[in-house]
Amino acid sequence: MRALGAFLSELKRRRVYRVAVVYVAVAFVIWQAAEIAVPGLNLPGWVLTLVILLTVLGFPVALVLAWAFDITPEGVKRTDAESPKLIAPGKVERVVGEVDAEARKSIAVLPFADMSAEGDQEYFSDGMSEELIDALTKIPELRVTARTSSFQFKGERRDIREVGRVLGVTHVVEGSVRKSGERLRITAQLVDTTDGYHLWSERYDRDLDDVFQVQDEIARSIARELEVRLTDPSAALERSRTDNLEAYDFYLRGRVCLAEIVPESWTRRAIELFKKATELDPTYAPAHAGLAAAYDQLNRFAGPGAKGLLAKARETALRALDLDSTLSEPHTILGYIAMTHDWDREAARQRFERAIQVNPNEARAHGMYAIFLLYFEKQFEEALERARRAEELDPLDWAPRTFPWWVLWAQGEYESYLQEALEVIEREPEHAQPHYWAGTGYLLTGRPNEAISEFGRAVDLGGPAHFYLSYLAVAHARAGNASKAREILAEFEERTSRGAALSSWRARIHAALGERDEALDALESAFEEHDRSLFHVASDPLFDEVRSHPRFTALFGKMGLEKWC
């Protein structure tokens, strides 16, 4: 039955159905014309018989030609055995490959279309998709693709089978939302990506107050269709909610802004929106979790007030867990703070393990745990396994794809690391971060001039972030442009005077300039500041010349990173 379905789907893809319908329609017109013309022209009766016979014999020939060839803007071409690979404009293609046994119960939720009359409810339809993703991740037996990957297909009408191959899932949920005043119309359908056939579809006409109930109904219907066992259906899909629809609205808008990451203004706007949500409903745990994530994200820009943001991120994450301990995101945030700021090995381990326990589909939790295993335990194989898991759960987002690169870096596989970054640049040339990674790859393989070019491109695309500028200065120093390196160093000194925590990044520049004592001084300052990037110094070959120095070993011993000394 499955083979028949796949064959019928292939007939549709090759437009054989369309050719058949058009052929029959044209043949009918020809017969009618011949029936009138033959007697009118006094032609023998066998002419009409011949016309009918030729059109009948031509039918299978037309179908064979329709199967084998296609008419394109470039002319008639042979139809490929498979559909063209998915390449969304301006986005990265990453084909996961054939679906393995584990993926038999795997799913991606594509962005729901905004069908509202004014077309101004996109944030709400996006939020509906995100909430459904969150609901499905509560089902232990189901592997759910992360939002950042499934949302790569937003606005793109692509063959569902290709979507399945790219994301490595066997099923896709798609749908639409029409919001008018206090009324909602939500449609949803579950599609098998192996043959493109719909397994289930439903339409819900409800009041806005019923939006959470609809989300649960859709999730339960999907679980039933996929024969996923829910030992306790109510508990499996139980999530923190709010009765205040205005708070929910602000929360959804905040999530949209938070997903942008750069520029910094998007994160600041997300903070404003999450704050409004928590003010309207102080018990709404997901809004507190979103606010904690926004504070944590803004803290990474390392500008003035960074320490205050970190404290707010910690406090807000704890508040979210007080309200709902089953939220994965706050555990991951607290684990990252414990790892990068507190250097508390056991606290970080417990947080990451708890985050994965409550949500095995949380890509960032797996990725952060991979970094923990790499730096604090120096367990390369285990770290790589976790990193690959994060990549598998979120295959189209650049951040999870970089988690395995950390392992390559730490193992000294710099050429492989560089090639990975260059492959991403080929697909996403306008994204700043891959240029940064490629720049470090060129730097570590002894090509400082190429590194300068890549770091410069990262600055052009992503702004003068401290991590871009620090390595740009290092590249200049390695290329013999000490004056350029010192110009950037002076800018770092000025930023530090205004409260930015950049000492570990200053240390890199000093090390590249051959200023060993100044580099160690800066590292000790970073320790006092609890610089969140300091732990990464442990595997950075820039510091190989001072790695055995007593000041270096004492410093990283206190951080629990003595295995790198």
Side-chain angles (χ1 to χ4, degrees):
M1 191 69 181
R2 178 72 71 186
L4 176 61
F7 175 67
L8 295 175
S9 181
E10 186 68 8
L11 287 176
K12 182 178 179 181
R13 183 181 76 82
R14 293 172 181 258
R15 298 183 176 88
V16 176
Y17 291 144
R18 184 184 301 177
V19 170
V21 171
V22 172
Y23 190 96
V24 170
V26 172
F28 180 76
V29 172
I30 291 173
W31 294 344
Q32 292 296 312
E35 190 175 11
I36 296 172
V38 167
L41 297 174
N42 294 318
L43 298 174
W46 58 264
V47 173
L48 178 60
T49 303
L50 179 63
V51 170
I52 295 174
L53 181 62
L54 289 175
T55 54
V56 171
L57 292 175
F59 184 66
V61 175
L63 296 185
V64 170
L65 291 175
W67 175 274
F69 298 97
D70 194 12
I71 299 176
T72 73
E74 291 78 28
V76 177
K77 292 185 176 181
R78 181 178 293 276
T79 305
D80 294 333
E82 293 184 348
S83 302
K85 288 184 178 180
L86 173 67
I87 304 178
K91 296 172 183 175
V92 64
E93 173 201 23
R94 186 174 181 84
V95 179
V96 173
E98 295 300 321
V99 179
D100 56 23
E102 181 191 354
R104 282 179 294 182
K105 292 181 179 178
S106 55
I107 195 166
V109 181
L110 300 185
F112 277 37
D114 173 23
M115 303 298 291
S116 302
E118 301 299 324
D120 59 350
Q121 298 297 313
E122 183 177 332
Y123 76 93
F124 190 88
S125 59
D126 285 354
M128 181 72 190
S129 306
E130 290 192 54
E131 290 286 289
L132 187 54
I133 290 172
D134 184 57
L136 292 173
T137 60
K138 300 292 185 181
I139 303 175
E141 294 183 27
L142 200 58
R143 180 166 66 80
V144 185
T145 299
R147 176 222 189 257
T148 43
S149 286
S150 61
F151 270 55
Q152 293 279 349
F153 300 96
K154 186 173 181 178
E156 300 294 327
R157 297 187 63 83
R158 299 288 176 173
D159 190 317
I160 289 296
R161 293 168 300 166
E162 289 298 330
V163 174
R165 277 192 282 271
V166 170
L167 296 178
V169 296
T170 54
H171 300 85
V172 160
V173 180
E174 56 182 358
S176 64
V177 177
R178 183 186 298 272
K179 184 168 175 269
S180 179
E182 298 301 309
R183 291 291 294 173
L184 282 176
R185 169 169 289 179
I186 299 171
T187 63
Q189 46 267 344
L190 178 67
V191 186
D192 188 326
T193 63
T194 61
D195 55 24
Y197 271 63
H198 285 66
L199 300 178
W200 164 86
S201 64
E202 190 62 75
R203 188 180 80 182
Y204 304 86
D205 290 298
R206 302 288 179 82
D207 291 330
L208 186 59
D209 292 348
D210 295 331
V211 62
F212 299 118
Q213 181 181 345
V214 172
Q215 291 166 5
D216 282 356
E217 288 183 24
I218 294 173
R220 287 193 177 91
S221 297
I222 291 169
R224 183 175 60 252
E225 290 296 328
L226 298 184
E227 299 180 350
V228 175
R229 182 175 57 88
L230 296 179
T231 54
D232 185 349
S234 61
L237 298 178
E238 185 177 351
R239 292 169 292 140
S240 297
R241 292 171 174 162
T242 178
D243 294 327
N244 189 314
L245 292 177
E246 189 178 3
Y248 179 62
D249 191 86
F250 280 123
Y251 168 74
L252 293 182
R253 293 175 187 268
R255 282 292 175 187
V256 171
C257 293
L258 186 64
E260 293 298 324
I261 302 179
V262 291
E264 182 180 333
S265 57
W266 281 102
T267 307
R268 294 190 182 278
R269 178 59 177 157
I271 289 173
E272 294 174 7
L273 293 166
F274 287 133
K275 277 185 175 180
K276 289 180 180 178
T278 58
E279 288 166 2
L280 288 168
D281 185 353
T283 65
Y284 189 22
H288 287 281
L291 182 57
Y295 281 137
D296 181 58
Q297 188 162 288
L298 189 59
N299 171 258
R300 296 182 205 177
F301 289 99
K307 293 180 181 178
L309 289 169
L310 185 66
K312 289 180 179 179
R314 189 197 304 269
E315 178 184 354
T316 313
L318 289 170
R319 173 60 177 157
L321 291 176
D322 284 342
L323 294 168
D324 184 355
S325 63
T326 66
L327 292 176
S328 177
E329 186 177 41
H331 283 295
T332 303
I333 292 168
L334 291 170
Y336 188 61
I337 292 173
M339 177 175 68
T340 62
H341 179 269
D342 303 339
W343 309 311
D344 187 332
R345 176 180 295 178
E346 287 310 309
R349 183 199 305 279
Q350 290 173 15
R351 287 296 184 184
F352 291 137
E353 289 179 351
R354 178 59 176 159
I356 293 169
Q357 180 184 19
V358 298
N359 185 358
N361 291 292
E362 180 58 56
R364 188 163 180 262
H366 286 281
M368 290 294 106
Y369 195 27
I371 293 174
F372 168 82
L373 292 170
L374 176 63
Y375 280 94
F376 284 86
E377 304 297 341
K378 211 173 182 180
Q379 296 176 352
F380 295 116
E381 291 185 10
E382 293 84 348
L384 186 59
E385 181 181 344
R386 289 287 179 181
R388 294 297 184 199
R389 179 62 172 167
E391 187 181 25
E392 179 186 70
L393 289 168
D394 201 354
L396 296 189
D397 185 32
W398 67 264
R401 288 203 305 276
T402 65
F403 287 128
W405 303 0
W406 289 69
V407 182
L408 293 174
W409 167 298
Q411 289 181 310
E413 299 288 341
Y414 303 133
E415 192 62 47
S416 298
Y417 164 88
L418 172 60
Q419 292 307 314
E420 291 265 4
L422 292 176
E423 286 178 15
V424 176
I425 289 175
E426 188 175 341
R427 295 162 179 161
E428 287 188 272
E430 299 304 310
H431 200 299
Q433 201 71 5
H435 289 282
Y436 164 66
W437 288 95
T440 56
Y442 277 126
L443 190 62
L444 295 170
T445 53
R447 288 170 273 185
N449 290 320
E450 289 92 335
I452 290 171
S453 176
E454 292 295 342
F455 291 134
R457 185 64 177 147
V459 171
D460 291 341
L461 293 171
H466 58 280
F467 32 91
Y468 300 158
L469 292 177
S470 177
Y471 275 108
L472 177 59
V474 170
H476 278 302
R478 289 288 176 87
N481 304 323
S483 60
K484 286 282 188 182
R486 292 193 185 281
E487 286 179 16
I488 297 174
L489 180 60
E491 182 176 340
F492 271 60
E493 298 286 359
E494 194 274 332
R495 290 190 187 188
T496 301
S497 68
R498 290 188 286 112
L502 301 172
S503 293
S504 70
W505 300 97
R506 288 192 296 111
R508 286 179 170 84
I509 303 174
H510 284 300
L513 289 168
E515 300 168 351
R516 188 173 69 168
D517 290 338
E518 289 82 351
L520 290 168
D521 290 342
L523 290 177
E524 288 172 348
S525 295
F527 180 84
E528 295 300 324
E529 297 165 0
H530 280 260
D531 185 332
R532 297 183 75 178
S533 300
L534 183 56
F535 79 99
H536 191 211
V537 170
S539 65
D540 195 329
L542 285 173
F543 296 94
D544 284 350
E545 292 185 8
V546 298
R547 192 171 302 279
S548 60
H549 194 284
R551 291 171 65 187
F552 189 95
T553 56
L555 185 66
F556 284 88
K558 287 187 285 187
M559 293 174 60
L561 298 170
E562 62 279 350
K563 294 180 181 180
W564 292 94
C565 298

